[in-house]
Amino acid sequence: PPSAVTPMGKFGVAVVVGLLALLSWEVRAQALPRVTLGDISKRYDDARTDPTMTDDRDVYRDAFELAASKGYEVEKHKVTTEDGYVLGLVRIVGSPQGAETRPCPGSQEKPPVLLQHGLIDSSATWVMNMPRQSLGFVLADLGYDVWLGNNRGTTYSMEHRDLREGFDAWDEEFWDFSWDEMAAFDLPAEIRYILDATGSETLSYVSHSQGTTQGFAAFSLPEFADLARRVNVHIALAPVAFVGNTESLLFQAAGHLDVLRVLAANPLIKSFGNTFLGTGVGADFVRSLVPSICGIFLGGCDAEKDRRDAHNALFDGGLPGDLFGLPDMQHLNQSRIPVYLSHLPEGTSVKNLIHWSQAVKSSKFRKYDYGRSGNLARHGSADPPEYDLRGNYRVPTVLVSGSKDPIANRRDVRRLLRILSEHPGVLLGSRELPQYDHNDFTLSTNGEVALFPYLTNKLRGEACSKVVEEEEEEEAEERGRRGAAMAVQSSGGLGRGWEDLLVVEASSSSSSSSSGWGDILAARG
């Protein structure tokens, strides 16, 4: 039975399956010039358009198009980071449920919320399922101003301000990043852009997997203390700061087989890896294996769920979960597999994967390890510095983990929980969802029952309290302005105190200003 297979046995089975799938792909590649996603997806029904159709159009849609096709009002935005990367943002500004819905009672404000994806993922992860099953749609239906972030290296963020147009994966400069840079540049740029675009004083941050890592890292950097104070809540799904106890076989192999890190650091292998990971070659390879994957694990992608099917037993036995953190058949919409694999895996750099392998081996939450000489040059110390969660992280946070998650392991999550609970007001709550795997948080079909009620309750509590505070401050300022105007009118003009104040302000302003307080005073005189 699947439950009796040991972890190493599962790893061996995975290797065999991978080799067989690779052989199958190579044989087909010789017979076919290219296996396209269209060839793979011809058999899938699209119940949203016409039940008689046999082509799921969502396979061909990006995150913007996925949302627009469901009737949501969507915008595309671009933001440039301080180090020159151009990131694509998707904004859901309107819901087909109607324009009147608002999350905060008594307020017409639409609190902004930023959703940040995980490793080899993108903004599409929040809108790949049906509206009631996708968090991006759920929040938009509740009246939030929803922003979907995309890290550097994804298909949505493949531009750079300074690198030549038409660069490819062989440009080492572009791919010289890990989640350190995503925390130091990508996330702060996204937050500042959203706050500026919406005029809001604060926003809410909902993250998954590596997206939580970005948040924990960025919000613990002293230089971002002011920015972190403008995040009213961080809801971390499958939270990852420490991965030393990971049960993922792939993470374990990457962390403890030094030969893999040595090979990955080789310039030629790194260039090939960046090509494979970042330009879509790897994604195309995975997509070409869809029929084999479905045949091995599921008895065919177009097969209906049948708990008597031995393929489902193998899938539910834990092999895909142990390797990739994928949901079992209890939570997965089997008919959406082609859609999922049209967006997964997304692009990233070899350096980012190496950083994760370092985190597994060190069991520490710290910056990229360049070796002693490299660390001295980059960090000013022989060892890479750790992110100071205890000393600096103060964003109100909710942790939501899964009992079956091999990546955000229970022991590592509890270690993070203990650190955050040391400071009053930081840990707002935590919950472990039974039977949830790593990617259930974005792909599961039962989120409206297992996850969304708890998440939206925590989100509303923090986002709406800030909205009320902002509205009260605005009302107080408006009352002050009205009171000052009435005082001026009742005194017949500006009193001596006002005149003195304006003279002082005018003398402190630039003499080149054409509209300073001095001009205002002269006009009133």
Side-chain angles (χ1 to χ4, degrees):
S3 59
V5 181
T6 65
M8 288 309 298
K10 290 180 180 179
F11 187 71
V13 171
V15 172
V16 173
V17 169
L19 291 175
L20 290 174
L22 179 60
L23 178 61
S24 172
W25 180 73
E26 290 178 343
V27 170
R28 287 198 310 278
Q30 294 176 5
L32 298 172
R34 180 178 176 84
V35 180
T36 67
L37 212 51
D39 299 326
I40 295 169
S41 63
K42 293 299 183 185
R43 302 188 302 276
Y44 303 97
D45 294 334
D46 187 353
R48 293 169 309 288
T49 55
D50 185 347
T52 65
M53 294 181 65
T54 57
D55 187 1
D56 190 339
R57 297 180 180 182
D58 281 355
V59 168
Y60 307 96
R61 291 167 174 151
D62 62 17
F64 177 92
E65 295 163 338
L66 284 170
S69 70
K70 309 301 184 297
Y72 292 84
E73 184 182 350
V74 200
E75 298 174 352
K76 291 182 180 179
H77 293 256
K78 289 187 177 181
V79 56
T80 303
T81 66
E82 287 188 7
D83 61 342
Y85 287 80
V86 181
L87 311 179
L89 292 172
V90 177
R91 182 186 189 184
I92 307 178
V93 294
S95 165
Q97 300 297 324
E100 301 302 321
T101 304
R102 294 292 185 271
C104 304
S107 173
Q108 290 302 307
E109 293 295 318
K110 291 173 64 72
V113 54
L114 170 61
L115 307 185
Q116 193 69 38
H117 63 81
L119 178 64
I120 58 172
D121 207 346
S122 72
S123 58
T125 198
W126 305 106
V127 291
M128 280 197 288
N129 278 331
M130 296 299 100
R132 293 176 60 183
Q133 301 167 343
S134 299
L135 183 60
F137 295 144
V138 169
L139 296 181
D141 290 342
L142 290 174
Y144 288 94
D145 187 356
V146 180
W147 295 75
L148 312 179
N150 286 291
N151 286 320
R152 60 187 64 196
T154 65
T155 54
Y156 303 85
S157 305
M158 289 287 287
E159 299 178 51
H160 194 279
R161 179 189 59 208
D162 303 322
L163 294 179
R164 71 182 188 277
E165 185 177 356
F167 70 89
D168 56 33
W170 299 91
D171 290 311
E172 295 183 9
E173 290 179 84
F174 183 88
W175 298 102
D176 184 22
F177 65 79
S178 76
W179 52 262
D180 276 341
E181 285 71 30
M182 298 175 195
F185 297 105
D186 293 3
L187 184 55
E190 290 176 339
I191 292 176
R192 291 190 181 104
Y193 181 90
I194 294 169
L195 292 175
D196 183 62
T198 62
S200 178
E201 288 298 315
T202 64
L203 59 69
S204 305
Y205 182 60
V206 180
S207 59
H208 174 243
S209 188
Q210 182 180 261
T212 73
T213 311
Q214 285 176 255
F216 295 134
F219 303 148
S220 64
L221 292 172
E223 57 265 37
F224 296 133
D226 290 341
L227 191 65
R229 281 191 282 270
R230 301 189 69 180
V231 178
N232 53 56
V233 67
H234 177 192
I235 300 180
L237 309 177
V240 181
F242 307 101
V243 285
N245 293 297
T246 180
E247 295 175 349
S248 166
L249 299 181
L250 289 181
F251 271 59
Q252 288 178 3
H256 298 295
L257 294 180
D258 292 339
V259 65
L260 294 180
R261 284 194 301 277
V262 173
L263 288 174
N266 180 280
L268 289 177
I269 295 177
K270 182 180 289 186
S271 293
F272 171 78
N274 287 331
T275 301
F276 190 81
L277 291 169
T279 63
V281 174
D284 287 344
F285 171 74
V286 171
R287 290 162 195 160
S288 72
L289 297 178
V290 170
S292 297
I293 294 172
C294 288
I296 292 171
F297 290 114
L298 304 171
C301 290
D302 54 350
E304 295 295 329
K305 290 183 181 179
D306 184 355
R307 298 196 177 279
R308 297 169 298 177
D309 192 331
H311 295 87
N312 287 351
L314 175 62
F315 200 90
D316 289 342
L319 178 59
D322 285 347
L323 287 174
F324 311 113
L326 293 175
D328 56 30
M329 292 307 299
Q330 177 183 354
H331 300 144
L332 189 68
N333 183 347
Q334 186 170 327
S335 69
R336 300 292 288 178
I337 288 176
V339 179
Y340 303 151
L341 292 180
S342 69
H343 296 278
L344 298 167
E346 258 287 355
T348 192
S349 68
V350 171
K351 181 177 179 179
N352 191 38
L353 299 184
I354 293 175
H355 196 175
W356 279 112
S357 73
Q358 293 174 353
V360 173
K361 186 172 184 178
S362 70
S363 295
K364 296 180 179 180
F365 186 41
R366 64 184 188 179
K367 295 186 177 182
Y368 190 91
D369 189 348
Y370 293 92
R372 180 180 176 82
S373 59
N375 289 336
L376 289 171
R378 294 259 192 160
H379 304 309
S381 57
D383 295 318
E386 295 187 39
Y387 289 98
D388 190 3
L389 289 170
R390 280 192 171 87
N392 297 328
Y393 187 91
R394 295 295 182 272
V395 175
T397 300
V398 178
L399 303 180
V400 189
S401 58
S403 65
K404 292 180 62 178
D405 190 339
I407 299 174
N409 176 273
R410 179 178 292 171
R411 292 174 62 187
D412 289 326
V413 172
R414 288 179 175 174
R415 178 181 176 186
L416 174 63
L417 189 151
R418 286 194 296 270
I419 292 174
L420 298 184
S421 63
E422 292 177 4
H423 298 279
V426 173
L427 186 64
L428 299 181
S430 65
R431 176 168 291 189
E432 182 182 86
L433 302 184
Q435 303 303 309
Y436 253 50
D437 219 317
H438 193 70
N439 286 298
D440 275 318
F441 293 94
T442 57
L443 299 182
S444 176
T445 58
N446 75 334
E448 60 181 312
V449 175
L451 172 61
F452 298 160
Y454 178 75
L455 186 154
T456 55
N457 181 57
K458 291 294 186 181
L459 179 62
R460 183 182 296 109
E462 296 305 309
C464 290
S465 67
K466 295 300 180 182
V467 166
V468 171
E469 289 179 10
E470 291 177 22
E471 291 182 343
E472 289 178 347
E473 290 176 359
E474 291 175 0
E475 290 176 1
E477 292 176 358
E478 180 62 25
R479 287 195 299 270
R481 286 192 292 268
R482 289 198 301 266
M486 292 175 62
V488 170
Q489 292 175 0
S490 63
S491 64
L494 290 174
R496 184 64 186 174
W498 277 82
E499 184 178 351
D500 291 342
L501 174 61
L502 296 179
V503 170
V504 171
E505 292 288 348
S507 65
S508 64
S509 62
S510 172
S511 60
S512 62
S513 174
S514 61
S515 59
W517 280 106
D519 294 330
I520 298 173
L521 179 61
R524 288 182 179 270

